[in-house]
Amino acid sequence: AGTPPHDPRVPPQGRFSVPRQRGTDRGPGQRVSSGDIAALRSVGDLFRTLDHAYGGGHARQALVRYLEHEAEPMLRGTYGESTGRRLFAAAADLTRLAGWTSYDIAAHGLAQRYFVQALRLAQAAGDRAYGSYVLLTMSCQAVYLGHGREAVQLARVAQQGVGPAAPPVVQAMLHAVEARGHAVLGEARACSASQLRAERALGTARPGDEVPYWARAFDEAQLADELAHCHRDLQQYRTAAQHAERSLQLRAPGFARSRLFCRVVLATSRLALGELEQACALGAEAAKEASEMRSARAVEYVRDFERRLEPYRDAAAARTYRDRVAAIG
């Protein structure tokens, strides 16, 4: 259940129904207004902020209930073609976010069902670019699960979906995630080529560019984060550390989970470079941050660091690390 589909094509358009929890009553149909759609968008922004700062576990349950009780009745409501497209687009965004928060708590099969439904809704909205963003999200999940080949395939289908005229920031996102897939596979040359395309694309971005809302958070900090992960996976630890440090310098505090991930990448790199004390200090800081979130991914990042630390378990720095983590409670 944890493996993204081998065929990443958009599924055929069908009945629109977000994945549901048992025992949930549906509300009656209703006429959908512009205000309703604006509310869906605002709710999406709110849950995105919660997810970035505190983890998917904080946002997911309330988001799922909102989808079931508010968004789904709207999909079964009354609206014209133009309003319908905007409604489907807003519902696609919330559904993708439900998948993302499910992924963050390691409910991977459920996450994939949300992603597939988000693809259908994006298709109904006529929004190929957003469909590509959903595929990109699925590629990120494949990277996390270690399915590098599927990650590359999904990223490439996403690239085809937006085409060469996509804004530079979008192109940079797509190439960066493809690079992550190559890194998981140990394909250093292909990874380097994708990284270079991502860097060049972001380098051509200009403040006045029209960038879709879902791509606006992709900046120098995020690109450095992706590059750090790539070099870590390729065991190029000195370069990984440089990119991780740059990302941490640039990344806004509100992206707490991303900062934690990058801190662990830096800790792992320092450990591999023989800088045990610094690695343990960074790891302990990340462990404290993870304890304040509801994110299975955050916990797994810390556990990965601890597995790498195991050969040094008798060193003073490792004992200090364990003491600090134990004190977190």
Side-chain angles (χ1 to χ4, degrees):
T3 305
H6 286 273
D7 184 355
R9 292 175 298 180
V10 175
Q13 184 172 323
R15 177 176 169 276
F16 299 113
S17 173
V18 298
R20 292 166 42 74
Q21 296 179 345
R22 291 181 181 177
T24 302
D25 295 324
R26 298 180 185 226
Q30 62 194 70
R31 175 167 289 281
V32 179
S33 69
S34 294
D36 292 326
I37 295 170
L40 293 181
R41 290 296 190 187
S42 295
V43 167
D45 291 341
L46 170 64
F47 282 118
R48 241 184 302 278
T49 301
L50 287 171
D51 171 68
H52 287 315
Y54 304 109
H58 277 286
R60 199 189 77 84
Q61 282 294 104
L63 174 56
V64 167
R65 283 195 292 271
Y66 187 85
L67 274 169
E68 292 173 352
H69 293 290
E70 299 293 336
E72 188 172 290
M74 288 186 203
L75 293 172
R76 294 181 290 110
T78 304
Y79 41 81
E81 182 178 350
S82 174
T83 299
R85 285 183 178 273
R86 290 188 294 124
L87 172 61
F88 290 140
D93 186 47
L94 285 174
T95 304
R96 189 212 70 91
L97 186 56
W100 178 261
T101 55
S102 299
Y103 154 49
D104 194 48
I105 63 167
H108 292 295
L110 178 61
Q112 286 157 17
R113 291 195 291 277
Y114 279 119
F115 293 149
V116 168
Q117 188 59 37
L119 283 173
R120 289 179 177 149
L121 288 161
Q123 186 180 46
D127 193 340
R128 285 175 61 88
Y130 193 83
S132 290
Y133 179 49
V134 178
L135 290 168
L136 195 70
T137 306
M138 296 171 75
S139 181
C140 291
Q141 183 189 32
V143 166
Y144 178 77
L145 294 172
H147 304 311
R149 186 59 58 207
E150 284 152 333
V152 170
Q153 290 171 350
L154 286 160
R156 286 179 174 171
V157 174
Q159 290 165 24
Q160 293 166 8
V162 298
V169 171
V170 172
Q171 294 184 37
M173 281 181 70
L174 295 165
H175 290 304
V177 175
E178 181 181 343
R180 292 287 306 275
H182 288 303
V184 167
L185 293 167
E187 297 173 346
R189 289 183 65 181
C191 179
S192 180
S194 290
Q195 286 183 23
L196 186 59
R197 285 193 288 271
E199 290 176 302
R200 284 177 174 168
L202 195 61
T204 64
R206 295 293 175 263
D209 290 348
E210 281 193 29
V211 179
Y213 69 92
W214 44 263
R216 288 173 193 156
F218 193 89
D219 55 10
E220 292 284 350
Q222 182 60 37
L223 179 58
D225 177 289
E226 303 289 3
L227 298 181
H229 278 82
C230 286
H231 289 288
R232 178 206 62 183
D233 290 344
L234 293 171
Q235 300 181 17
Q236 298 168 348
Y237 293 112
R238 196 165 299 283
T239 307
Q242 291 169 354
H243 286 297
E245 285 180 332
R246 174 168 169 75
S247 182
L248 287 167
Q249 288 167 0
L250 296 174
R251 179 83 77 175
F255 293 92
R257 185 182 52 212
S258 294
R259 289 179 60 84
L260 181 154
F261 293 165
C262 211
R263 201 180 310 282
V264 175
V265 171
L266 181 56
T268 298
S269 301
R270 292 290 177 218
L271 182 64
L273 293 168
E275 300 167 11
L276 185 58
E277 286 191 15
Q278 190 174 359
C280 287
L282 288 161
E285 193 172 347
K288 183 178 186 302
E289 291 168 342
S291 73
E292 296 167 356
M293 294 183 190
R294 291 171 63 182
S295 167
R297 286 192 296 155
V299 171
E300 181 53 36
Y301 265 71
V302 173
R303 285 177 178 163
D304 178 69
F305 172 73
E306 291 176 347
R307 286 191 289 269
R308 295 170 189 254
L309 185 61
E310 186 61 24
Y312 310 92
R313 66 184 329 274
D314 294 329
R319 290 198 300 271
T320 300
Y321 169 84
R322 290 195 298 273
D323 291 343
R324 287 182 64 181
V325 171
I328 293 170

